[in-house]
Amino acid sequence: SAGSWVDKDSEMCLWLDFDDVFNPRRANEDDPPPPPIPRRSWIEIDFQKDKVDTLVVHRYLSERLMRVNGHQLKPFTNPVSSDLLVPSPPGTGEKLLDWIGDNAAAIDAEAVDEKFHEAGMLQHDEHVAFAFKTGRDSLYLTNKRLFVIDVQGFTGKRKEYMSVPLDVIRSWSVESAGSFDRDMELRLWFKGHWNNKVKQDLRKGKADIFAIQSHIAHFIIGSADGTAALANAQAYEPSPPGAATKLLGFLNDAHMKDPVEVTSTLRSSPALLQDDESIEAAFKCGRDLFLISTKRIIVIDKKGITGKSVEYKSHPLMYNKAFSIQTEGHLEGSEAKVYTDDNDIEQDLAKGEKDNIWAIHNILSEKMLNERQAEIGEVVEIDLSTE
């Protein structure tokens, strides 16, 4: 929406699945690198204030770009309902934010759902599952998108409404609060080539980060095959009596851990895995854990001096791009590397883990080669016949 003084235009921004980011050359070798230019990877269009109903634009784009049933779009031959193009009542956005501003850090999702439908912000079959407010900003998770409202400027009159369809999310993480940083964090990386990361602080004690994680996982990897890639994936020699350990409490670095024990732990403390998901390979390195489940790679990273803040980051196997393994040498152990849309994942293994590096190779081969997810933009057969 438009601001008060300097920037009086409203804007529409589109993140395109088109890598056109340009990195200019340095004028001199000693100069810092110039900032990259998004070009056609990110398009920004200004609208004259009070001449364009931005909420109508929002509703139209939602109807055209929200995907369901395996990336299927609304057929372009089907027109958008004229009801969605009816001008919004004056002050709709302001009234909605005034109502949100009267709430605490965690907002009642059912009440938000009702208000959002009244304002025409959601689709008819879309519903709010989680709602949070931090400062002037707020974040919502529905059954179709991540919805962020960012109040900007000194007066707060300028507001950004950002929608990220859940099926374009390529990785996500939740982080518990630490000793000094009292906020929890949610981070998501979506399919795109320019500023494709969303980060949101969540007030400690006001949000269940594992319920949020489970909601996202349900829509991203819920339909993925949860069967084991290895016939003997769960065949691990049990720990001796009295050697049971808690998550992140293992000792030796970069050695294979009991996947059955880790699976059991991650079903309750914390509840990170889905019902049909299990751990096939687990490695401990320092204070951190590198896990390969039947649906994703999970990196558990303990942070800070006390290690109280823990990040749980998920990379769906079906969206990873490539992988490589490196066998051990005379001095160094083996290494596994997975290439993703975000930062690549690298994991070093201890000496003597040569059998396990090939187990990782077999798991990734089965999941990434035989169960590849069709990307958005690929031809997908859609049955448009009616009974």
Side-chain angles (χ1 to χ4, degrees):
S1 62
S4 298
W5 301 320
V6 181
D7 191 353
K8 294 185 177 181
D9 289 334
S10 54
E11 295 176 355
M12 175 183 70
C13 299
L14 297 172
W15 284 258
L16 305 185
D17 185 17
F18 185 81
D19 189 0
D20 195 36
V21 178
F22 174 66
N23 294 283
R25 294 183 178 180
R26 305 182 188 187
N28 299 296
E29 292 185 1
D30 296 334
D31 293 342
I37 302 171
R39 298 199 294 196
R40 287 173 290 177
S41 293
W42 182 75
I43 296 177
E44 180 182 30
I45 299 174
D46 290 337
F47 297 132
Q48 189 174 343
K49 183 179 180 180
D50 300 329
K51 298 297 183 182
V52 175
D53 189 333
T54 54
L55 293 184
V56 169
V57 176
H58 165 84
R59 290 195 292 268
Y60 177 84
L61 292 175
S62 296
E63 193 72 8
R64 284 297 184 197
L65 300 180
M66 302 295 283
R67 298 170 171 84
V68 295
N69 300 328
H71 303 321
Q72 295 180 19
L73 287 171
K74 182 184 182 72
F76 68 89
T77 53
N78 291 8
V80 172
S81 172
S82 58
D83 294 341
L84 299 177
L85 306 181
V86 174
S88 306
T92 298
E94 286 73 12
K95 291 178 182 178
L96 177 64
L97 289 178
D98 287 343
W99 177 84
I100 294 173
D102 293 334
N103 286 273
I107 313 172
D108 180 39
E110 292 185 5
V112 171
D113 186 79
E114 180 180 350
K115 292 290 184 180
F116 272 29
H117 278 288
E118 289 177 0
M121 301 297 291
L122 303 179
Q123 294 180 294
H124 294 304
D125 59 345
E126 185 179 7
H127 300 285
V128 176
F130 296 93
F132 304 99
K133 185 171 185 296
T134 304
R136 299 191 302 175
D137 305 329
S138 51
L139 175 143
Y140 311 88
L141 274 168
T142 77
N143 58 323
K144 290 191 174 185
R145 76 179 104 188
L146 170 75
F147 193 30
V148 181
I149 301 180
D150 180 14
V151 180
Q152 303 174 354
F154 181 75
T155 64
K157 189 173 182 180
R158 184 174 180 83
K159 305 165 189 74
E160 179 185 26
Y161 303 82
M162 182 179 185
S163 292
V164 181
L166 292 180
D167 75 336
V168 302
I169 294 174
R170 290 296 175 264
S171 59
W172 67 94
S173 74
V174 293
E175 183 175 328
S176 59
S179 300
F180 304 103
D181 185 358
R182 304 191 56 148
D183 285 337
M184 301 178 291
E185 290 186 358
L186 168 67
R187 303 184 189 93
L188 302 106
W189 292 260
F190 57 90
K191 185 176 175 62
H193 303 279
W194 183 258
N195 290 344
N196 63 332
K197 176 182 177 181
V198 176
K199 176 184 174 183
Q200 180 67 43
D201 290 335
L202 301 172
R203 198 168 300 172
K204 183 178 180 180
K206 299 295 184 180
D208 185 341
I209 58 174
F210 295 108
I212 296 172
Q213 188 282 144
S214 296
H215 176 84
I216 297 172
H218 170 75
F219 289 99
I220 305 302
I221 60 174
S223 60
D225 183 8
T227 58
L230 301 180
N232 62 340
Q234 300 298 325
Y236 185 90
E237 183 179 349
S239 303
T245 52
K246 294 288 187 180
L247 182 66
L248 297 175
F250 299 103
L251 296 176
N252 295 329
D253 286 351
H255 284 283
M256 182 81 166
K257 302 304 175 185
D258 184 352
V260 176
E261 184 178 355
V262 178
T263 297
S264 176
T265 301
L266 290 180
R267 292 201 188 283
S268 58
S269 57
L272 197 68
L273 300 180
Q274 297 185 305
D275 291 340
D276 62 341
E277 183 182 13
S278 59
I279 299 298
E280 294 204 79
F283 297 91
K284 179 73 170 61
C285 186
R287 301 188 301 176
D288 306 330
L289 273 175
F290 172 80
L291 312 173
I292 302 179
S293 82
T294 52
K295 295 188 175 187
R296 56 182 148 171
I297 294 174
I298 303 173
V299 179
I300 302 179
D301 180 13
K302 257 188 162 182
K303 298 185 174 183
I305 298 175
T306 63
K308 189 175 181 180
S309 177
V310 183
E311 180 184 22
Y312 304 81
K313 186 170 183 179
S314 297
H315 303 266
L317 288 170
M318 61 188 180
Y319 290 132
N320 292 331
K321 300 302 183 183
F323 64 91
S324 67
I325 62 168
Q326 180 175 308
T327 57
E328 64 180 47
H330 292 291
L331 301 177
E332 298 178 343
S334 51
E335 177 186 283
K337 184 173 183 179
V338 180
Y339 301 85
T340 73
D341 282 331
D342 182 38
N343 295 327
D344 298 334
I345 309 167
E346 297 186 38
Q347 178 62 47
D348 294 327
L349 304 185
K351 290 275 291 181
E353 297 286 317
K354 59 181 180 180
D355 291 337
N356 290 324
I357 195 66
W358 286 109
I360 291 176
H361 178 274
N362 293 337
I363 295 170
L364 296 178
S365 296
E366 178 67 24
K367 292 295 182 180
M368 293 175 58
L369 301 181
N370 298 335
E371 300 173 13
R372 193 181 68 87
Q373 174 70 40
E375 278 286 9
I376 295 170
E378 294 184 14
V379 177
V380 179
E381 293 185 4
I382 303 175
D383 184 8
L384 300 179
S385 62
T386 57
E387 296 182 359

